[in-house]
Amino acid sequence: MPKLVKPRGVLVAGNWKMNHGPKAAHAFLSELAQALASTHSAKPPAGLRAAVLTPAVTLSAALQAVQEHPTLQGWLQVGAQNAHHEPSGAYTGELSGPLLREIGIGLALVGHSERRQLFGETDETAGQRLSSLLHQGFQVIFCVGETLGQRQAKATAKTVLGQLEWAHRVAAARREPWDASRLIIAYEPVWAIGTGLTATPGQAQEVHALIRGWLEGKGLGQTPVLYGGSVTPENFAGLLECPDVDGGLVGGASLKSASFLKLIETGAQAI
Ligand code: 13P
């Protein structure tokens, strides 16, 4: 067996944010399946995984589309963009782990900077959600990242490692130790999200290496760390050359199936 160039494989996760209802998701996934079936490798290589994180109303249709297309099964997951830490209760507008499980979802994103900046989520609430969902058996993508002001104040390391440390303490207080096999970290510099400003591979690698060191110190060495922030089919290969970048969390460039396919193909080439 040849050794994987990327020891933790590559994950390409599309965060659709507030885009793509059930019909659009079905069309997207059918196009993706057809495009894959018409290439010589109908399924990506072992070690390559993909996910689409859809609006809540789209989850069931996206799952059904994956079931209809065998070429997508086993490597493309459908996930939610957030979920509350409580299993049920008076939390208007929220989704919980058990509600997601009921429709067959086992992956969720937590702590996205848009949730933190626009919807008042904090290190504490993001940590609660992460810890509770991991404990419920979910795979969770947990986002961390600094603002432009924090970067300019040379507080990137302090901010990012502080976010991780806070969440880790929440898990300890809740007696819900993290399971490294289901945890995924996404480093998303806030200044790079939706701005067209991507971190250079050097900037990304610097922070990813810090995160990897922190994870190893906690016995969580197998946890993948994705980069997010204006990832495109053009810049993804360069980012994947960084030894500690294990994939991408992609917003805008994940919305068209042709662009998402290019990201997947780039991920496959990196393995
Ligand atoms: P963009 O790729 O549109 O910059 O979004 C990144 C992001 O926020 C993914 O979660």
Side-chain angles (χ1 to χ4, degrees), residues 4 6 20 26 29 33 35 43 50 54 76 88 112 125 131 136 161 166 188 190 192 196 207 219 227 233 249 258:
L4 286 181
K6 306 296 279 181
H20 290 345
H26 196 274
L29 291 166
K43 274 199 184 189
T54 82
L76 188 138
S88 63
H112 193 279
T125 61
S131 136
Q136 291 175 59
L161 298 183
W166 191 301
E188 295 209 313
V190 179
V207 182
Y227 168 80
L249 178 57

Short mmCIF file of all heavy atoms in Angstrom, two decimals, residues 4 6 20 26 29 33 35 43 50 54 76 88 112 125 131 136 161 166 188 190 192 196 207 219 227 233 249 258:
data_model
loop_
_atom_site.label_atom_id
_atom_site.label_comp_id
_atom_site.label_asym_id
_atom_site.label_seq_id
_atom_site.Cartn_x
_atom_site.Cartn_y
_atom_site.Cartn_z
N LEU A 4 -0.17 7.38 2.22
CA LEU A 4 -0.93 8.58 1.86
C LEU A 4 -0.04 9.80 2.07
O LEU A 4 0.62 9.93 3.08
CB LEU A 4 -2.16 8.73 2.75
CG LEU A 4 -3.35 7.80 2.53
CD1 LEU A 4 -4.44 8.15 3.52
CD2 LEU A 4 -3.88 7.93 1.12
N LYS A 6 -1.32 12.64 2.44
CA LYS A 6 -2.06 13.33 3.49
C LYS A 6 -2.45 12.27 4.53
O LYS A 6 -3.39 11.49 4.29
CB LYS A 6 -3.33 14.00 2.95
CG LYS A 6 -3.12 14.94 1.78
CD LYS A 6 -2.28 16.14 2.13
CE LYS A 6 -3.03 17.23 2.82
NZ LYS A 6 -2.12 18.39 3.10
N HIS A 20 -29.73 27.30 -1.40
CA HIS A 20 -30.11 26.00 -1.95
C HIS A 20 -31.21 25.32 -1.12
O HIS A 20 -30.96 24.68 -0.10
CB HIS A 20 -28.92 25.04 -2.06
CG HIS A 20 -27.93 25.41 -3.14
ND1 HIS A 20 -28.21 26.33 -4.12
CD2 HIS A 20 -26.67 24.97 -3.38
CE1 HIS A 20 -27.16 26.43 -4.92
NE2 HIS A 20 -26.21 25.63 -4.50
N HIS A 26 -31.16 18.87 -4.84
CA HIS A 26 -31.34 17.64 -5.62
C HIS A 26 -30.64 17.78 -6.97
O HIS A 26 -29.92 16.88 -7.42
CB HIS A 26 -32.83 17.33 -5.77
CG HIS A 26 -33.07 15.93 -6.21
ND1 HIS A 26 -33.06 15.56 -7.54
CD2 HIS A 26 -33.27 14.80 -5.50
CE1 HIS A 26 -33.26 14.26 -7.62
NE2 HIS A 26 -33.39 13.76 -6.40
N LEU A 29 -26.75 17.68 -6.52
CA LEU A 29 -26.16 16.37 -6.23
C LEU A 29 -26.31 15.43 -7.42
O LEU A 29 -25.44 14.59 -7.67
CB LEU A 29 -26.78 15.80 -4.94
CG LEU A 29 -26.35 16.59 -3.68
CD1 LEU A 29 -27.22 16.24 -2.48
CD2 LEU A 29 -24.87 16.35 -3.35
N ALA A 33 -23.17 13.70 -9.28
CA ALA A 33 -23.09 12.25 -9.50
C ALA A 33 -22.87 11.93 -10.97
O ALA A 33 -22.04 11.08 -11.32
CB ALA A 33 -24.38 11.59 -9.00
N ALA A 35 -21.50 13.88 -13.27
CA ALA A 35 -20.16 14.31 -13.66
C ALA A 35 -19.12 13.30 -13.18
O ALA A 35 -18.20 12.95 -13.91
CB ALA A 35 -19.86 15.69 -13.09
N LYS A 43 -15.69 7.03 -8.47
CA LYS A 43 -15.66 7.40 -7.05
C LYS A 43 -14.28 7.93 -6.73
O LYS A 43 -13.28 7.42 -7.21
CB LYS A 43 -15.95 6.18 -6.18
CG LYS A 43 -17.43 5.93 -5.97
CD LYS A 43 -17.69 5.05 -4.76
CE LYS A 43 -19.18 4.78 -4.68
NZ LYS A 43 -19.60 4.13 -3.47
N ALA A 50 -16.20 14.05 1.29
CA ALA A 50 -16.83 15.34 1.01
C ALA A 50 -18.09 15.45 1.87
O ALA A 50 -18.62 14.45 2.37
CB ALA A 50 -17.17 15.45 -0.47
N THR A 54 -26.15 21.86 4.64
CA THR A 54 -27.26 22.52 3.95
C THR A 54 -28.17 23.26 4.94
O THR A 54 -28.14 22.98 6.14
CB THR A 54 -28.12 21.50 3.16
OG1 THR A 54 -29.04 20.87 4.07
CG2 THR A 54 -27.28 20.44 2.47
N LEU A 76 -19.74 10.89 0.53
CA LEU A 76 -20.31 12.24 0.60
C LEU A 76 -21.38 12.28 1.68
O LEU A 76 -22.37 11.54 1.62
CB LEU A 76 -20.89 12.68 -0.74
CG LEU A 76 -21.32 14.15 -0.75
CD1 LEU A 76 -20.94 14.84 -2.05
CD2 LEU A 76 -22.81 14.33 -0.52
N SER A 88 -33.91 18.86 23.64
CA SER A 88 -35.25 19.36 23.30
C SER A 88 -35.54 20.53 24.24
O SER A 88 -34.77 20.80 25.17
CB SER A 88 -36.31 18.27 23.50
OG SER A 88 -36.35 17.90 24.88
N HIS A 112 -19.45 28.54 13.84
CA HIS A 112 -19.06 29.35 12.68
C HIS A 112 -19.00 30.82 13.08
O HIS A 112 -19.81 31.28 13.88
CB HIS A 112 -20.06 29.13 11.53
CG HIS A 112 -19.54 29.68 10.24
ND1 HIS A 112 -19.63 31.02 9.93
CD2 HIS A 112 -18.92 29.09 9.19
CE1 HIS A 112 -19.08 31.22 8.74
NE2 HIS A 112 -18.65 30.06 8.27
N THR A 125 -21.16 29.04 24.40
CA THR A 125 -22.27 28.31 23.76
C THR A 125 -21.75 27.40 22.65
O THR A 125 -22.23 26.29 22.46
CB THR A 125 -23.36 29.26 23.20
OG1 THR A 125 -22.78 30.11 22.21
CG2 THR A 125 -23.99 30.09 24.30
N SER A 131 -19.46 20.00 22.49
CA SER A 131 -19.28 18.90 23.44
C SER A 131 -20.51 18.00 23.48
O SER A 131 -20.41 16.77 23.44
CB SER A 131 -18.92 19.55 24.77
OG SER A 131 -19.56 19.01 25.83
N GLN A 136 -23.21 12.97 21.78
CA GLN A 136 -24.37 12.27 21.20
C GLN A 136 -23.98 11.42 19.98
O GLN A 136 -24.85 10.90 19.28
CB GLN A 136 -25.44 13.28 20.77
CG GLN A 136 -26.11 13.99 21.93
CD GLN A 136 -27.06 15.07 21.42
OE1 GLN A 136 -27.99 14.79 20.67
NE2 GLN A 136 -26.83 16.30 21.81
N LEU A 161 -6.07 29.54 19.69
CA LEU A 161 -5.85 28.53 20.72
C LEU A 161 -6.74 28.78 21.93
O LEU A 161 -7.19 27.84 22.59
CB LEU A 161 -4.36 28.50 21.15
CG LEU A 161 -3.39 28.13 20.01
CD1 LEU A 161 -1.96 28.04 20.53
CD2 LEU A 161 -3.77 26.82 19.31
N TRP A 166 -11.02 27.09 25.42
CA TRP A 166 -12.29 27.36 26.09
C TRP A 166 -13.26 26.19 25.85
O TRP A 166 -13.89 25.68 26.78
CB TRP A 166 -12.90 28.68 25.56
CG TRP A 166 -14.05 29.16 26.37
CD1 TRP A 166 -15.21 28.47 26.61
CD2 TRP A 166 -14.17 30.38 27.08
NE1 TRP A 166 -16.05 29.20 27.40
CE2 TRP A 166 -15.44 30.38 27.71
CE3 TRP A 166 -13.34 31.50 27.23
CZ2 TRP A 166 -15.89 31.45 28.49
CZ3 TRP A 166 -13.80 32.56 28.00
CH2 TRP A 166 -15.06 32.52 28.62
N GLU A 188 -10.87 29.14 10.20
CA GLU A 188 -11.45 30.10 9.25
C GLU A 188 -11.13 31.52 9.71
O GLU A 188 -11.85 32.07 10.56
CB GLU A 188 -12.97 29.93 9.18
CG GLU A 188 -13.42 28.60 8.63
CD GLU A 188 -14.78 28.69 7.93
OE1 GLU A 188 -15.71 29.29 8.48
OE2 GLU A 188 -14.87 28.18 6.81
N VAL A 190 -11.53 35.13 10.04
CA VAL A 190 -12.77 35.86 9.75
C VAL A 190 -12.58 36.84 8.61
O VAL A 190 -13.47 37.04 7.78
CB VAL A 190 -13.26 36.59 11.04
CG1 VAL A 190 -14.51 37.38 10.79
CG2 VAL A 190 -13.50 35.57 12.16
N ALA A 192 -10.99 36.47 6.00
CA ALA A 192 -10.89 35.79 4.70
C ALA A 192 -12.25 35.24 4.23
O ALA A 192 -12.36 34.75 3.11
CB ALA A 192 -9.88 34.64 4.78
N GLY A 196 -12.87 37.24 -0.61
CA GLY A 196 -11.95 37.04 -1.72
C GLY A 196 -10.49 37.10 -1.26
O GLY A 196 -9.58 36.86 -2.04
N VAL A 207 -0.82 28.75 11.23
CA VAL A 207 -1.87 28.57 12.24
C VAL A 207 -2.25 27.09 12.35
O VAL A 207 -2.49 26.58 13.45
CB VAL A 207 -3.12 29.44 11.90
CG1 VAL A 207 -4.17 29.29 12.98
CG2 VAL A 207 -2.71 30.90 11.75
N GLY A 219 -3.87 14.83 23.14
CA GLY A 219 -4.11 13.44 22.74
C GLY A 219 -5.17 13.32 21.64
O GLY A 219 -5.84 12.30 21.52
N TYR A 227 -9.03 24.17 6.31
CA TYR A 227 -8.90 25.63 6.15
C TYR A 227 -10.16 26.16 5.47
O TYR A 227 -10.69 25.53 4.53
CB TYR A 227 -7.66 26.00 5.28
CG TYR A 227 -7.74 27.46 4.91
CD1 TYR A 227 -7.34 28.43 5.83
CD2 TYR A 227 -8.30 27.87 3.70
CE1 TYR A 227 -7.50 29.78 5.54
CE2 TYR A 227 -8.46 29.22 3.41
CZ TYR A 227 -8.06 30.16 4.34
OH TYR A 227 -8.24 31.50 4.06
N PRO A 233 -11.40 26.72 -6.53
CA PRO A 233 -10.69 25.65 -7.25
C PRO A 233 -9.27 26.09 -7.63
O PRO A 233 -8.39 25.27 -7.80
CB PRO A 233 -11.55 25.41 -8.50
CG PRO A 233 -12.91 25.87 -8.10
CD PRO A 233 -12.70 27.03 -7.17
N LEU A 249 -13.09 24.01 4.14
CA LEU A 249 -14.49 24.32 4.45
C LEU A 249 -14.82 25.51 3.55
O LEU A 249 -14.27 26.59 3.72
CB LEU A 249 -14.65 24.67 5.93
CG LEU A 249 -16.06 25.05 6.40
CD1 LEU A 249 -17.07 23.96 6.08
CD2 LEU A 249 -16.07 25.34 7.90
N ALA A 258 -20.21 22.24 -10.53
CA ALA A 258 -18.97 22.14 -11.33
C ALA A 258 -17.77 22.60 -10.50
O ALA A 258 -16.68 22.00 -10.56
CB ALA A 258 -19.10 22.98 -12.59
#
